Amino acid sequence: MLENKFKQLLAQASISLSEQQVQQLLAYVALLDKWNKAYNLTSVRDPKDMLVKHIMDSLVVAEHLKGKHYIDVGTGPGLPGMVLAIALPDTEFVLLDSLGKRVTFLKQVKHELGLKNVTPVQSRVEEYQPSVKLDGVLSRAFASIDDMLHWCAHLIDQDGRFVALKGQYPEQELANLPDGFSFEQNIELSVPELEGERHLIILKKD
């Protein structure tokens, strides 16, 4: 059963969520599975795999986020932003994607799960202007670090951070950071039952 599997994964990762949050995340997986058949939102087809590769992979980031306003650029079906919004109900998340079908899905999830801290937006990232001061820009499998900094520089000021979810440590990308940006921190993430490395790269403006 999916719920038992999920609770087992949470225990392995020492992540504690309320029963409501657990049910919301399971409902999100069910919606993702249902919509995926028509909309092709993710290449991961099996809900059990979604728990590991999408939900847990996003949840392990939650404890490392500081501040109350984030934007998830190139969010796709809401990864990691929708998962983090459920895990961090006091933090606001803008979920940005340029594809209409993805944003339609995100609006449906927001509605069905009753989430108040999520704002789905259809826009190209370079054209989007935030209405509040953002604490951070999140990106998971969106682009290279160089592209992320180039396209998202206008979204935050010196106080904000760029937070990139990566697989292998992006040594080459970090060796060639564009002027005006600097590396701040690398956090190695551990995701139960996920093969391969996971790193959280945090960057800032100089």
Side-chain angles (χ1 to χ4, degrees):
M1 192 178 159
L2 213 56
E3 181 172 343
N4 293 344
K5 176 69 181 169
F6 186 30
K7 287 183 173 175
Q8 184 188 337
L9 289 166
L10 290 171
Q12 282 175 263
S14 301
I15 292 173
S16 114
L17 296 175
S18 70
E19 186 59 29
Q20 182 189 15
Q21 288 170 313
V22 168
Q23 295 307 324
Q24 284 177 321
L25 286 164
L26 289 168
Y28 171 58
V29 169
L31 284 166
L32 191 52
D33 183 41
K34 178 180 159 188
W35 280 60
N36 205 30
K37 293 173 174 68
Y39 276 43
N40 200 24
L41 297 167
T42 167
S43 59
V44 180
R45 297 288 173 205
D46 185 332
K48 283 201 291 295
D49 291 338
M50 288 179 187
L51 281 180
V52 174
K53 294 179 177 175
H54 290 336
I55 307 302
M56 295 304 300
D57 192 45
S58 300
L59 277 178
V60 293
V61 175
E63 65 176 305
H64 303 294
L65 297 189
K66 313 278 188 280
K68 293 295 177 195
H69 294 277
Y70 279 84
I71 183 167
D72 179 12
V73 293
T75 187
L79 301 163
M82 187 65 80
V83 177
L84 291 169
I86 293 169
L88 301 168
D90 296 331
T91 303
E92 299 284 331
F93 290 87
V94 173
L95 307 185
L96 190 84
D97 204 277
S98 58
L99 265 191
K101 66 179 184 179
R102 291 177 186 154
V103 175
T104 301
F105 169 71
L106 295 171
K107 287 178 176 171
Q108 186 65 24
V109 173
K110 173 182 174 164
H111 171 69
E112 290 205 23
L113 301 188
L115 298 173
K116 302 279 189 276
N117 60 330
V118 169
T119 307
V121 175
Q122 184 182 351
S123 171
R124 293 173 63 83
V125 63
E126 57 269 35
E127 291 162 6
Y128 179 72
Q129 293 297 333
S131 56
V132 297
K133 185 172 159 11
L134 294 168
D135 296 302
V137 175
L138 289 163
S139 141
R140 177 186 189 258
F142 166 60
S144 69
I145 285 175
D146 194 57
D147 284 344
M148 178 192 183
L149 297 175
H150 175 69
W151 286 328
C152 304
H154 67 288
L155 297 174
I156 57 171
D157 61 17
Q158 256 64 20
D159 298 329
R161 293 294 180 266
F162 300 93
V163 182
L165 285 71
K166 291 284 183 179
Q168 288 183 314
Y169 184 72
E171 200 167 338
Q172 197 59 47
E173 291 181 65
L174 292 172
N176 299 305
L177 285 181
D179 290 342
F181 302 95
S182 57
F183 168 80
E184 184 169 271
Q185 192 180 7
N186 166 50
I187 300 167
E188 284 190 50
L189 301 172
S190 175
V191 183
E193 297 187 18
L194 187 69
E195 288 178 21
E197 300 173 42
R198 301 302 285 157
H199 291 88
L200 197 62
I201 307 296
I202 301 176
L203 305 146
K204 61 186 175 83
K205 288 185 173 180
D206 292 336

